[in-house]
Amino acid sequence: DAADWGMIDPLLAAGLMPTLAALLERGVRGNLRTLQPMLSPILWNTIATGRRAAAHGIAGFTEPVPDGPGIRPVASTSRRCRAIWNLLTGCGCRSNVVGWYASHPAEPIAGTMVSNRLEFGAGESGEAPLPEGAVHPPESADRLARCRVHPQEIDASAVLPFVPDAARVAVRDPDRLGRLRQMLAQTATVQAMATELLATEPWDLTAVYFEGIDRFGHEFMEFHPPRMPQVSEEDFEAYRHCMTGIYRFHDMMLEALLAAAGEGTTVLLVSDHGYWNDERRPDPREGRSGPVEWHRPLGILAAAGPGIRTSAPVCGGGILDIAPTLLQLLGLPAAHDMPGRVLAEILDDDAAAPIERIPTWEEVDGEFGLHPPDLRIDPEASREALAHLVALGYIEAFGDDEEKARRETEDANRLQLAHDCADAGDLEEALRLIGELRPPLADETPVRLLAANCLVGLRRLAEGTTLLDALDGAAMPNTTTGRRVELLRSRIDALE
């Protein structure tokens, strides 16, 4: 999540990511275009399904509880179409899936799945079991629970590469160091489970999701060199090595993953988006400090192994192309309702031999390892998972007003779907969804600016101009919003 060539390339040049360097020498690399909105739950389910948010149904971090009050984290039961591990189950193949976003409860696929509910909760001891439903098959839960790394196991020797003066920093900033240990423990847990399954289970596909780079970015990227104006010299010196540290840690883990997978394995390394890491990092003094503001629209793609060319250019790839390309490598057809393409330019002649697409995988009969439609999610477990999202800063605490939380979540997800439709070129549907929003969200400047962009895209220039005129008071000069308004005005002038 959030891996970016802008961070990786200087480390490669300095010889600090030798595993990835060796992978690239025998394979390909390129940018991977993301989609809007750049939210991890949406994007990783797009990567897994080859479908946009409007089709797969994951529209944010949370959703209204379908049969009761309040909200809950998005779950595997929220997804409305089959993921690639479901398709493989239906074709008699086995998958290992570890930590994928919105994969709890684990689906009954052929193979082994560990959901994204795999780290320790607040106050849990190192002996705590994995949450119910976190592992399929259930009889593997105890074995995989022993792979979990507790934050208390992250000792000084593990922290020092990230914060060399950790002893002194811990006195003045213990909470941030505690969060660093939690993130390292979660990342190490995913690694331990993935290598355990690679070594002990038969598999055709192993899909592993690492959240660490993104979580480190939200916590530490503002301290990455060069020093940002709002960062104190003391904080800069304390945390300037954290982002380099997490990339190097991932390179070390990649070495173990590749060794466990074996030389005959085809490997795809992808990120859902990038992460601003230079002078274009968001400046909170301009009102640009939200998590999505840090996301850069180009992620990474690296691939090597059987079926992959060496040093071939990757031309215009995007996250919608990953599922069709994986299916091609596995000898299976993509579907016409997957808008992405097979990245044929990275495949050798044998692997690139065309496979005729089928209309859709959704109507193919068979056992695909899906949950029954009436499966209920434990409300208490949902509350704990919500608290975890709040602690990570992904969502705000809603308080005790469950109806207000439900309304705000419905509107937030409707807005995300509007962004998705606008990104896909379905501007009429985007405007329809915007029109269903309620105040105060409907009146916010970014929402009205999105509507104005859609109107201009539909050549409804007079309506777009009227909406922009109403925004002038909110769009202050020399701000991101102000620049976007002026850019749209220039576009209207050109069209007129």
Side-chain angles (χ1 to χ4, degrees):
D1 199 320
D4 194 298
W5 291 120
M7 281 292 300
I8 293 170
D9 282 336
L11 298 176
L12 290 172
L16 298 179
M17 295 186 72
T19 308
L20 181 58
L23 182 79
L24 296 176
E25 284 181 3
R26 60 186 179 90
V28 301
R29 60 167 283 172
N31 291 319
L32 205 59
R33 186 180 65 258
T34 191
L35 303 177
Q36 298 292 336
M38 286 186 283
L39 289 178
S40 294
I42 297 175
L43 301 177
W44 285 102
N45 278 279
T46 289
I47 290 170
T49 63
R51 311 284 295 280
R52 283 183 170 268
H56 64 60
I58 305 293
F61 290 99
T62 60
E63 64 185 7
V65 175
D67 53 356
I71 64 172
R72 68 182 188 185
V74 290
S76 57
T77 54
S78 311
R79 204 182 65 241
R80 294 199 297 256
C81 62
R82 298 166 180 174
I84 191 164
W85 47 81
N86 300 122
L87 308 187
L88 294 186
T89 295
C91 295
C93 298
R94 296 179 63 85
S95 302
N96 294 324
V97 184
V98 181
W100 209 266
Y101 217 115
S103 60
H104 188 84
E107 293 177 282
I109 62 171
T112 304
M113 174 175 275
V114 188
S115 81
N116 57 314
R117 292 285 312 282
L118 49 71
E119 64 184 300
F120 288 96
E124 283 190 334
S125 73
E127 303 301 318
L130 283 158
E132 183 177 356
V135 177
H136 171 82
E139 54 266 27
S140 296
D142 288 345
R143 171 169 64 101
L144 290 166
R146 291 193 290 272
C147 295
R148 289 207 289 178
V149 178
H150 195 278
Q152 291 182 355
E153 297 179 70
I154 304 298
D155 60 15
S157 64
V159 172
L160 290 177
F162 300 87
V163 184
D165 197 14
R168 184 180 303 176
V169 172
V171 175
R172 67 177 181 86
D173 200 358
D175 290 344
R176 181 168 274 134
L177 277 187
R179 291 193 293 274
L180 184 148
R181 292 170 70 194
Q182 288 175 332
M183 289 185 283
L184 288 178
Q186 193 269 354
T187 302
T189 293
V190 172
Q191 173 78 359
M193 290 180 171
T195 52
E196 166 71 11
L197 293 177
L198 284 167
T200 61
E201 299 292 336
W203 53 275
D204 299 283
L205 170 75
T206 291
V208 188
Y209 167 68
F210 286 100
E211 192 177 8
I213 288 175
D214 188 67
R215 285 171 64 172
F216 259 70
H218 291 304
E219 189 73 47
F220 296 112
M221 186 62 85
E222 68 172 320
F223 308 115
H224 186 68
R227 182 167 70 88
M228 298 182 74
Q230 80 280 3
V231 173
S232 70
E233 188 68 39
E234 187 177 31
D235 282 344
F236 177 67
E237 289 301 324
Y239 303 118
R240 62 179 299 171
H241 303 288
C242 286
M243 293 310 303
T244 295
I246 192 62
Y247 274 90
R248 296 190 67 188
F249 185 35
H250 270 276
D251 194 70
M252 297 172 195
M253 292 190 296
L254 180 62
E255 181 179 19
L257 287 170
L258 294 177
E263 294 183 359
T265 299
T266 305
V267 178
L268 272 71
L269 180 65
V270 305
S271 65
D272 57 332
H273 55 74
Y275 209 93
W276 296 113
N277 50 68
D278 52 19
E279 71 280 356
R280 289 168 290 183
R281 285 175 289 182
D283 188 337
R285 297 172 302 174
E286 293 185 4
R288 298 175 60 228
S289 58
V292 177
E293 293 279 358
W294 287 85
H295 293 171
R296 195 168 78 95
L298 291 176
I300 71 166
L301 168 65
I308 303 296
R309 293 185 185 276
T310 301
S311 302
V314 181
C315 306
I319 65 172
L320 283 166
D321 305 327
I322 298 302
T325 302
L326 282 172
L327 289 169
Q328 176 80 19
L329 284 163
L330 290 158
L332 297 171
H336 287 300
D337 57 8
M338 294 178 174
R341 66 183 180 89
V342 173
L343 295 171
E345 66 270 25
I346 75 171
L347 306 180
D348 64 25
D349 292 342
D350 290 338
I355 301 174
E356 186 175 354
R357 292 200 179 207
I358 62 174
T360 180
W361 277 99
E362 303 307 309
E363 297 176 4
V364 177
D365 292 332
E367 176 51 59
F368 287 87
L370 299 165
H371 287 305
D374 58 348
L375 179 70
R376 286 181 54 83
I377 296 176
D378 176 44
E380 181 59 33
S382 290
R383 281 189 286 271
E384 292 175 4
L386 279 175
H388 183 62
L389 288 174
V390 171
L392 293 177
Y394 291 155
I395 64 172
E396 295 182 1
F398 284 100
D400 297 327
D401 190 340
E402 291 187 331
E403 186 54 40
K404 178 174 181 287
R406 187 181 184 90
R407 287 196 310 272
E408 291 182 357
T409 299
E410 287 174 342
D411 276 349
N413 288 356
R414 193 173 285 121
L415 176 59
Q416 307 303 353
L417 289 175
H419 276 287
D420 176 66
C421 290
D423 192 54
D426 191 350
L427 304 182
E428 293 282 6
E429 178 63 11
L431 283 172
R432 185 191 71 78
L433 289 165
I434 294 169
E436 293 181 355
L437 299 176
R438 294 164 286 203
L441 184 60
D443 300 323
E444 291 186 0
T445 297
V447 177
R448 299 169 74 183
L449 186 55
L450 174 63
N453 269 286
C454 291
L455 289 167
V456 172
L458 291 167
R459 301 299 193 268
R460 292 159 59 176
L461 304 184
E463 294 173 77
T465 299
T466 299
L467 197 50
L468 287 180
D469 289 342
L471 285 177
D472 276 349
M476 303 301 292
N478 300 319
T479 66
T480 302
T481 300
R483 288 190 287 271
R484 288 172 179 169
V485 168
E486 292 309 309
L487 184 63
L488 191 54
R489 285 196 182 281
S490 299
R491 185 181 173 198
I492 291 173
D493 291 342
L495 289 170
E496 287 177 336

